[in-house]
Short mmCIF file of all heavy atoms in Angstrom, two decimals:
data_model
loop_
_atom_site.label_atom_id
_atom_site.label_comp_id
_atom_site.label_asym_id
_atom_site.label_seq_id
_atom_site.Cartn_x
_atom_site.Cartn_y
_atom_site.Cartn_z
N ARG A 1171 95.28 124.68 82.55
CA ARG A 1171 94.45 124.53 81.35
C ARG A 1171 94.08 123.07 81.16
O ARG A 1171 94.92 122.18 81.16
CB ARG A 1171 95.20 125.03 80.11
CG ARG A 1171 94.52 124.84 78.80
CD ARG A 1171 95.29 125.46 77.66
NE ARG A 1171 96.44 124.64 77.26
CZ ARG A 1171 96.42 123.72 76.34
NH1 ARG A 1171 95.32 123.41 75.68
NH2 ARG A 1171 97.53 123.03 76.02
N ALA A 1172 92.79 122.77 80.97
CA ALA A 1172 92.32 121.44 80.80
C ALA A 1172 92.72 120.98 79.37
O ALA A 1172 92.45 121.70 78.38
CB ALA A 1172 90.83 121.30 81.01
N ILE A 1173 93.30 119.84 79.26
CA ILE A 1173 93.62 119.23 78.00
C ILE A 1173 92.57 118.17 77.67
O ILE A 1173 92.01 118.14 76.57
CB ILE A 1173 95.03 118.65 77.95
CG1 ILE A 1173 96.06 119.73 78.14
CG2 ILE A 1173 95.27 117.84 76.66
CD1 ILE A 1173 97.46 119.29 78.35
N THR A 1174 92.34 117.30 78.62
CA THR A 1174 91.23 116.36 78.58
C THR A 1174 90.57 116.36 79.94
O THR A 1174 91.00 117.04 80.89
CB THR A 1174 91.71 114.93 78.25
OG1 THR A 1174 92.49 114.47 79.32
CG2 THR A 1174 92.55 114.91 76.99
N THR A 1175 89.59 115.43 80.20
CA THR A 1175 88.87 115.36 81.41
C THR A 1175 89.90 114.93 82.49
O THR A 1175 89.77 115.32 83.67
CB THR A 1175 87.74 114.36 81.34
OG1 THR A 1175 86.86 114.77 80.31
CG2 THR A 1175 87.04 114.19 82.66
N LEU A 1176 90.90 114.14 82.18
CA LEU A 1176 91.85 113.59 83.10
C LEU A 1176 93.23 114.18 83.09
O LEU A 1176 94.06 113.87 83.88
CB LEU A 1176 92.01 112.08 82.89
CG LEU A 1176 90.70 111.24 83.04
CD1 LEU A 1176 90.99 109.77 82.63
CD2 LEU A 1176 90.11 111.35 84.39
N THR A 1177 93.48 115.17 82.16
CA THR A 1177 94.80 115.75 81.98
C THR A 1177 94.73 117.25 82.00
O THR A 1177 93.83 117.85 81.36
CB THR A 1177 95.39 115.25 80.70
OG1 THR A 1177 95.35 113.85 80.59
CG2 THR A 1177 96.81 115.68 80.52
N ARG A 1178 95.62 117.83 82.72
CA ARG A 1178 95.76 119.36 82.79
C ARG A 1178 97.23 119.71 82.52
O ARG A 1178 98.16 119.04 82.91
CB ARG A 1178 95.39 119.83 84.14
CG ARG A 1178 93.93 119.52 84.47
CD ARG A 1178 93.43 120.31 85.68
NE ARG A 1178 93.23 121.68 85.43
CZ ARG A 1178 92.16 122.21 84.72
NH1 ARG A 1178 91.22 121.45 84.28
NH2 ARG A 1178 92.03 123.50 84.59
N GLU A 1179 97.35 120.91 81.85
CA GLU A 1179 98.67 121.49 81.65
C GLU A 1179 98.77 122.62 82.70
O GLU A 1179 97.89 123.43 82.84
CB GLU A 1179 98.75 122.05 80.23
CG GLU A 1179 100.09 122.77 79.99
CD GLU A 1179 100.12 123.37 78.61
OE1 GLU A 1179 100.48 122.67 77.69
OE2 GLU A 1179 99.71 124.57 78.50
N LYS A 1180 99.87 122.62 83.43
CA LYS A 1180 100.09 123.70 84.49
C LYS A 1180 101.36 124.42 84.22
O LYS A 1180 102.36 123.87 83.95
CB LYS A 1180 100.13 122.99 85.84
CG LYS A 1180 98.80 122.35 86.26
CD LYS A 1180 98.86 121.80 87.60
CE LYS A 1180 97.48 121.22 88.01
NZ LYS A 1180 97.40 120.89 89.40
N THR A 1181 101.24 125.82 84.38
CA THR A 1181 102.39 126.62 84.19
C THR A 1181 102.84 127.12 85.55
O THR A 1181 102.04 127.59 86.40
CB THR A 1181 101.99 127.86 83.30
OG1 THR A 1181 101.54 127.39 82.07
CG2 THR A 1181 103.22 128.78 83.02
N TYR A 1182 104.13 127.09 85.77
CA TYR A 1182 104.74 127.48 87.08
C TYR A 1182 105.81 128.51 86.82
O TYR A 1182 106.40 128.60 85.80
CB TYR A 1182 105.42 126.26 87.76
CG TYR A 1182 104.44 125.22 88.23
CD1 TYR A 1182 104.08 124.17 87.34
CD2 TYR A 1182 103.98 125.22 89.47
CE1 TYR A 1182 103.20 123.22 87.79
CE2 TYR A 1182 103.11 124.27 89.95
CZ TYR A 1182 102.71 123.22 89.08
OH TYR A 1182 101.89 122.26 89.47
N ARG A 1183 105.98 129.35 87.90
CA ARG A 1183 107.07 130.40 87.86
C ARG A 1183 107.92 130.22 89.18
O ARG A 1183 107.37 130.15 90.28
CB ARG A 1183 106.56 131.75 87.76
CG ARG A 1183 107.75 132.78 87.63
CD ARG A 1183 107.28 134.24 87.73
NE ARG A 1183 108.38 135.17 87.51
CZ ARG A 1183 109.34 135.40 88.40
NH1 ARG A 1183 109.25 134.81 89.62
NH2 ARG A 1183 110.32 136.27 88.19
N CYS A 1184 109.21 130.12 89.03
CA CYS A 1184 110.07 130.02 90.17
C CYS A 1184 110.03 131.30 91.01
O CYS A 1184 110.06 132.40 90.44
CB CYS A 1184 111.52 129.79 89.72
SG CYS A 1184 112.69 129.63 91.06
N ASN A 1185 109.97 131.12 92.31
CA ASN A 1185 109.94 132.23 93.26
C ASN A 1185 111.29 132.92 93.42
O ASN A 1185 111.35 134.03 93.94
CB ASN A 1185 109.49 131.81 94.62
CG ASN A 1185 107.96 131.72 94.75
OD1 ASN A 1185 107.27 132.03 93.83
ND2 ASN A 1185 107.49 131.25 95.86
N ASN A 1186 112.35 132.25 93.04
CA ASN A 1186 113.72 132.81 93.12
C ASN A 1186 113.91 133.78 91.97
O ASN A 1186 114.07 133.40 90.84
CB ASN A 1186 114.72 131.66 93.04
CG ASN A 1186 116.15 132.15 93.12
OD1 ASN A 1186 116.40 133.32 93.10
ND2 ASN A 1186 117.07 131.16 93.16
N ASP A 1187 113.92 135.09 92.27
CA ASP A 1187 114.05 136.11 91.26
C ASP A 1187 115.40 135.99 90.50
O ASP A 1187 115.41 136.45 89.33
CB ASP A 1187 113.91 137.51 91.88
CG ASP A 1187 112.51 137.88 92.30
OD1 ASP A 1187 111.56 137.17 91.76
OD2 ASP A 1187 112.31 138.65 93.27
N ASP A 1188 116.38 135.47 91.08
CA ASP A 1188 117.68 135.26 90.37
C ASP A 1188 117.60 134.16 89.36
O ASP A 1188 118.33 134.09 88.40
CB ASP A 1188 118.81 134.93 91.38
CG ASP A 1188 119.15 136.09 92.24
OD1 ASP A 1188 118.95 137.27 91.84
OD2 ASP A 1188 119.61 135.89 93.37
N CYS A 1189 116.59 133.27 89.50
CA CYS A 1189 116.38 132.21 88.53
C CYS A 1189 115.25 132.58 87.55
O CYS A 1189 115.50 132.65 86.32
CB CYS A 1189 116.00 130.91 89.27
SG CYS A 1189 115.59 129.49 88.22
N GLY A 1190 114.06 132.81 88.05
CA GLY A 1190 112.93 133.27 87.24
C GLY A 1190 112.48 132.26 86.18
O GLY A 1190 111.72 132.64 85.24
N HIS A 1191 112.79 131.04 86.32
CA HIS A 1191 112.35 129.97 85.37
C HIS A 1191 110.86 129.89 85.34
O HIS A 1191 110.14 129.77 86.39
CB HIS A 1191 112.96 128.68 85.77
CG HIS A 1191 112.76 127.54 84.82
ND1 HIS A 1191 112.52 126.24 85.22
CD2 HIS A 1191 112.75 127.49 83.52
CE1 HIS A 1191 112.43 125.48 84.20
NE2 HIS A 1191 112.52 126.22 83.12
N VAL A 1192 110.27 129.80 84.18
CA VAL A 1192 108.90 129.62 83.94
C VAL A 1192 108.80 128.30 83.13
O VAL A 1192 109.43 128.12 82.13
CB VAL A 1192 108.21 130.77 83.21
CG1 VAL A 1192 106.70 130.41 82.94
CG2 VAL A 1192 108.28 131.99 83.97
N PHE A 1193 107.98 127.36 83.60
CA PHE A 1193 107.90 126.03 82.97
C PHE A 1193 106.55 125.42 83.03
O PHE A 1193 105.71 125.87 83.79
CB PHE A 1193 108.98 125.07 83.59
CG PHE A 1193 108.85 124.89 85.08
CD1 PHE A 1193 108.22 123.80 85.59
CD2 PHE A 1193 109.44 125.84 85.94
CE1 PHE A 1193 108.09 123.65 87.00
CE2 PHE A 1193 109.34 125.64 87.33
CZ PHE A 1193 108.69 124.54 87.82
N VAL A 1194 106.29 124.40 82.26
CA VAL A 1194 105.02 123.74 82.13
C VAL A 1194 105.17 122.27 82.55
O VAL A 1194 106.07 121.64 82.22
CB VAL A 1194 104.48 123.86 80.68
CG1 VAL A 1194 103.19 123.06 80.49
CG2 VAL A 1194 104.34 125.31 80.33
N SER A 1195 104.11 121.82 83.31
CA SER A 1195 104.05 120.40 83.62
C SER A 1195 102.65 119.86 83.16
O SER A 1195 101.77 120.63 82.89
CB SER A 1195 104.20 120.14 85.13
OG SER A 1195 103.04 120.63 85.80
N ILE A 1196 102.64 118.59 83.11
CA ILE A 1196 101.36 117.90 82.70
C ILE A 1196 100.93 117.06 83.89
O ILE A 1196 101.75 116.31 84.47
CB ILE A 1196 101.55 116.95 81.51
CG1 ILE A 1196 101.97 117.76 80.29
CG2 ILE A 1196 100.25 116.12 81.26
CD1 ILE A 1196 100.90 118.72 79.75
N GLU A 1197 99.69 117.24 84.33
CA GLU A 1197 99.11 116.44 85.47
C GLU A 1197 98.02 115.54 84.91
O GLU A 1197 97.20 116.00 84.10
CB GLU A 1197 98.59 117.37 86.49
CG GLU A 1197 97.89 116.64 87.65
CD GLU A 1197 97.26 117.59 88.62
OE1 GLU A 1197 98.02 118.05 89.54
OE2 GLU A 1197 96.05 117.89 88.53
N GLU A 1198 98.15 114.31 85.22
CA GLU A 1198 97.19 113.31 84.71
C GLU A 1198 96.63 112.46 85.85
O GLU A 1198 97.47 111.97 86.68
CB GLU A 1198 97.81 112.42 83.68
CG GLU A 1198 96.89 111.42 83.10
CD GLU A 1198 97.53 110.49 82.04
OE1 GLU A 1198 98.50 109.79 82.40
OE2 GLU A 1198 97.12 110.54 80.89
N ILE A 1199 95.36 112.31 85.94
CA ILE A 1199 94.75 111.39 86.97
C ILE A 1199 95.00 109.98 86.48
O ILE A 1199 94.68 109.63 85.36
CB ILE A 1199 93.26 111.74 87.10
CG1 ILE A 1199 93.06 113.17 87.63
CG2 ILE A 1199 92.57 110.73 88.04
CD1 ILE A 1199 91.65 113.67 87.62
N GLN A 1200 95.59 109.22 87.41
CA GLN A 1200 96.01 107.86 87.05
C GLN A 1200 95.10 106.73 87.56
O GLN A 1200 94.91 105.79 86.78
CB GLN A 1200 97.43 107.59 87.73
CG GLN A 1200 98.55 108.48 87.17
CD GLN A 1200 98.97 108.00 85.81
OE1 GLN A 1200 99.27 106.89 85.62
NE2 GLN A 1200 99.00 108.92 84.83
N ARG A 1201 94.64 106.87 88.75
CA ARG A 1201 93.81 105.75 89.34
C ARG A 1201 92.98 106.25 90.49
O ARG A 1201 93.19 107.37 91.00
CB ARG A 1201 94.74 104.65 89.80
CG ARG A 1201 95.73 105.03 90.82
CD ARG A 1201 96.75 103.90 91.11
NE ARG A 1201 97.90 104.39 91.94
CZ ARG A 1201 98.96 104.98 91.36
NH1 ARG A 1201 99.04 105.13 90.07
NH2 ARG A 1201 99.96 105.37 92.15
N THR A 1202 92.08 105.44 90.95
CA THR A 1202 91.17 105.80 92.03
C THR A 1202 91.69 105.15 93.32
O THR A 1202 92.00 104.00 93.35
CB THR A 1202 89.76 105.23 91.70
OG1 THR A 1202 89.28 105.92 90.58
CG2 THR A 1202 88.78 105.42 92.83
N VAL A 1203 91.59 105.87 94.40
CA VAL A 1203 91.98 105.36 95.72
C VAL A 1203 90.62 105.05 96.50
O VAL A 1203 90.43 104.00 97.09
CB VAL A 1203 92.86 106.33 96.55
CG1 VAL A 1203 93.08 105.80 97.93
CG2 VAL A 1203 94.16 106.57 95.78
N VAL A 1204 89.72 105.99 96.45
CA VAL A 1204 88.37 105.80 97.03
C VAL A 1204 87.33 106.00 96.00
O VAL A 1204 87.35 107.06 95.32
CB VAL A 1204 88.14 106.83 98.20
CG1 VAL A 1204 86.75 106.73 98.78
CG2 VAL A 1204 89.19 106.63 99.30
N GLN A 1205 86.47 105.04 95.79
CA GLN A 1205 85.48 105.16 94.73
C GLN A 1205 84.52 106.32 94.94
O GLN A 1205 84.14 106.62 96.09
CB GLN A 1205 84.61 103.84 94.69
CG GLN A 1205 85.43 102.65 94.24
CD GLN A 1205 85.83 102.75 92.80
OE1 GLN A 1205 85.15 103.35 91.94
NE2 GLN A 1205 87.00 102.20 92.48
N PRO A 1206 84.15 107.07 93.87
CA PRO A 1206 83.26 108.16 94.01
C PRO A 1206 81.86 107.68 94.27
O PRO A 1206 81.44 106.59 93.89
CB PRO A 1206 83.34 108.78 92.64
CG PRO A 1206 83.72 107.75 91.71
CD PRO A 1206 84.60 106.76 92.49
N ARG A 1207 81.09 108.55 94.92
CA ARG A 1207 79.66 108.27 95.16
C ARG A 1207 78.86 108.48 93.88
O ARG A 1207 77.78 107.93 93.71
CB ARG A 1207 79.12 109.19 96.31
CG ARG A 1207 79.72 108.77 97.62
CD ARG A 1207 79.08 109.59 98.74
NE ARG A 1207 79.72 109.20 99.98
CZ ARG A 1207 80.69 109.97 100.60
NH1 ARG A 1207 81.14 111.07 100.03
NH2 ARG A 1207 81.23 109.58 101.70
N THR A 1208 79.32 109.30 93.00
CA THR A 1208 78.67 109.51 91.70
C THR A 1208 79.67 109.20 90.61
O THR A 1208 80.88 109.43 90.81
CB THR A 1208 78.15 110.96 91.55
OG1 THR A 1208 79.25 111.84 91.64
CG2 THR A 1208 77.10 111.31 92.57
N ARG A 1209 79.26 108.74 89.47
CA ARG A 1209 80.16 108.41 88.37
C ARG A 1209 79.78 109.22 87.15
O ARG A 1209 78.60 109.40 86.85
CB ARG A 1209 80.13 106.96 88.11
CG ARG A 1209 80.65 106.13 89.24
CD ARG A 1209 80.72 104.63 88.78
NE ARG A 1209 81.28 103.83 89.82
CZ ARG A 1209 82.50 103.56 90.04
NH1 ARG A 1209 83.39 104.03 89.22
NH2 ARG A 1209 82.85 102.80 90.99
#
Side-chain angles (χ1 to χ4, degrees):
R1171 175 177 74 91
I1173 296 172
T1174 68
T1175 302
L1176 301 176
T1177 307
R1178 296 193 74 78
E1179 178 183 271
K1180 296 184 174 189
T1181 303
Y1182 293 87
R1183 185 186 183 285
C1184 180
N1185 278 355
N1186 178 354
D1187 290 334
D1188 292 332
C1189 176
H1191 186 216
V1192 177
F1193 56 98
V1194 174
S1195 71
I1196 299 292
E1197 178 181 273
E1198 181 180 61
I1199 297 171
Q1200 296 282 310
R1201 61 189 165 274
T1202 296
V1203 176
V1204 176
Q1205 291 294 328
R1207 291 186 181 99
T1208 60
R1209 293 188 181 270

